[in-house]
Amino acid sequence: MTALLPVRRPKTFLRNAAFSFIGGLLPALALIVTIPLIVHRLGAEAYGALVLITSIVGYFGIIDVNATAGSVKYVSEHQARGETAQANQVVTFGLALYVVIGILGGLALWFGAAMLVQNVFKIPEVWRADAELALRISAAAFFFGQLQVYLQSIPQAMHRFDVSGQFDAAFGTLVPLVTIVVVLFGGGLAAIVAARLAASFLHCGALIVALRRLMPEFRLRRPSPDTVRKMTSFSVWAYLQRIATVTHQNADKLLIGAQQSMFALATYVIPYTLVSRLYALLFKLTQNVFPMASALVASGQVAELKSTFIFAARYTVYLSACLCLVLALFAQDLLHYWLGKGLDDRAPLILVLVAYTLFLE
């Protein structure tokens, strides 16, 4: 019988939450600072086109079967039991799966770029050629993005939110910074996407190095039928959540981009981005509950799991309510001092509605 490894106690919840929060805080601040500069430099319509391209790529992530959730669960459990070989099988299966997903999604983006730009979305004529090239570049970005998402889940599965937080902070901040650099030097949509592709490539390389340090005994191992069955079974249910998440994050933007103008899309997206980024920071505070729960259950510490979960839920609701009230009360002032003029007069109302919606979520 394999000996159980000690599981980190729930008192480490706040420590991991702090690392996770800081990892999300720096990118959020960088994005909030750079959005007004990007909008004023590119114009609201071009910014709307950039958001549309990002949403198209994001919606192709619907083919992601959410095996990251399965990996976090089973790597955490196997690590708690000291089952190195089984953990290696889970990681190998996940990597292989995301390579396939990245290739399929990348091919679909490459061959569908012209049709999407010319026939589906209302992109201004002046931006269509640049948008089509940007979507083709996004084919490679999608591949590396899928690998990045999976590799980022491994430190979280091992309760190393200090490591994942550092990567979130560094590369999450790098993306808006390289974007503003490209914009200031006169680059268009394709140049922005190319710069983000380079950042994603570097991110994947750094995560691979970190994986080798966190799992020095890791070797590619052929997954056993039991590993494949467990990962597939768990991912089927997690995939339902994935569909809902991807649709929630991208469908509204795609619908506006297809039915309205790029200016209307920018008017919606900019207040939405501000609110969603702030709520995402609250999610970061409780993100480490999932791998901790898997490890605590695997080691039979159910009572500690219950107390940790209740603690996290109580403070998440309280902080979310406070944030919602601040955003709703000061929506007009926030947009005025943050962005100035340039958006539709309905933007503050959109901010209020999004704040209440995300609070309920």
Side-chain angles (χ1 to χ4, degrees):
M1 180 178 178
T2 306
L4 293 176
L5 294 179
V7 178
R8 301 184 178 210
R9 299 297 180 185
K11 66 182 181 181
T12 63
F13 170 80
L14 290 176
R15 176 178 175 272
N16 283 336
F19 282 123
S20 187
F21 180 80
I22 293 171
L25 178 62
L26 295 179
L29 291 175
L31 190 69
I32 290 172
V33 169
T34 57
I35 280 180
L37 299 174
I38 295 171
V39 172
H40 292 151
R41 188 80 177 189
L42 283 181
E45 283 196 339
Y47 182 77
L50 177 61
V51 169
L52 181 63
I53 291 169
T54 305
S55 296
I56 292 171
V57 176
Y59 204 78
F60 271 80
I62 204 167
I63 65 175
D64 175 3
V65 295
N66 204 14
T68 54
S71 287
V72 170
K73 172 179 171 60
Y74 291 113
V75 169
S76 184
E77 288 184 0
H78 291 313
Q79 288 286 330
R81 298 189 184 111
E83 299 168 346
T84 303
Q86 290 87 335
N88 289 346
Q89 290 178 26
V90 170
V91 175
T92 302
F93 180 77
L95 283 172
L97 187 61
Y98 275 86
V99 166
V100 172
I101 291 172
I103 291 174
L104 292 177
L107 290 174
L109 278 167
W110 177 272
F111 289 108
M115 183 269 293
L116 290 170
V117 170
Q118 301 295 334
N119 302 325
V120 178
F121 298 106
K122 295 186 176 181
I123 298 176
E125 184 71 32
V126 67
W127 290 103
R128 285 185 182 175
D130 200 21
E132 184 176 336
L133 177 58
L135 267 182
R136 294 190 188 278
I137 297 173
S138 295
F142 181 84
F143 175 80
F144 287 107
Q146 291 300 303
L147 286 182
Q148 173 188 317
V149 167
Y150 182 74
L151 291 169
Q152 185 79 358
S153 71
I154 304 303
Q156 296 173 1
M158 302 180 70
H159 311 277
R160 292 299 305 273
F161 282 84
D162 55 333
V163 174
S164 64
Q166 290 171 10
F167 280 107
D168 282 340
F171 289 95
T173 305
L174 180 63
V175 169
L177 291 181
V178 297
T179 300
I180 193 62
V181 169
V182 171
V183 169
L184 291 176
F185 278 92
L189 301 178
I192 292 171
V193 173
R196 292 180 175 184
L197 168 61
S200 184
F201 178 79
L202 292 175
H203 195 170
C204 286
L207 284 168
I208 290 172
V209 173
L211 175 62
R212 299 294 298 176
R213 292 177 179 174
L214 291 175
M215 299 180 69
E217 299 179 357
F218 173 73
R219 301 291 183 274
L220 292 174
R221 293 179 64 95
R222 183 176 181 178
S224 66
D226 182 58
T227 297
V228 174
R229 179 189 59 78
K230 289 193 303 183
M231 286 284 289
T232 304
S233 176
F234 188 84
S235 295
V236 166
W237 297 107
Y239 182 54
L240 298 177
Q241 181 190 31
R242 176 64 179 172
I243 293 174
T245 300
V246 170
T247 302
H248 168 69
Q249 291 176 344
N250 300 288
D252 49 355
K253 304 173 187 67
L254 297 181
L255 288 171
I256 295 172
Q259 300 295 327
Q260 302 291 323
S261 65
M262 293 300 102
F263 179 76
L265 179 58
T267 298
Y268 170 76
V269 165
I270 290 173
Y272 179 91
T273 300
L274 174 63
V275 177
S276 62
R277 278 289 177 163
L278 293 175
Y279 274 100
L281 292 176
L282 297 185
F283 170 75
K284 289 284 187 181
L285 289 173
T286 56
Q287 190 179 22
N288 64 90
V289 170
F290 180 35
M292 181 182 291
S294 298
L296 289 171
V297 170
S299 56
Q301 302 177 61
V302 179
E304 293 194 55
L305 169 60
K306 290 180 179 178
S307 64
T308 302
F309 179 80
I310 291 172
F311 172 82
R314 178 183 297 137
Y315 285 97
T316 300
V317 172
Y318 173 75
L319 292 173
S320 296
C322 292
L323 176 60
C324 180
L325 289 174
V326 170
L327 291 171
L329 289 172
F330 300 102
Q332 189 165 356
D333 292 331
L334 286 171
L335 287 177
H336 173 73
Y337 289 108
W338 177 46
L339 201 67
K341 297 185 181 296
L343 295 182
D344 192 283
D345 292 338
R346 292 170 292 183
L349 176 60
I350 293 172
L351 192 152
V352 173
L353 293 174
V354 172
Y356 281 118
T357 301
L358 294 186
F359 169 68
L360 293 175
E361 181 189 356

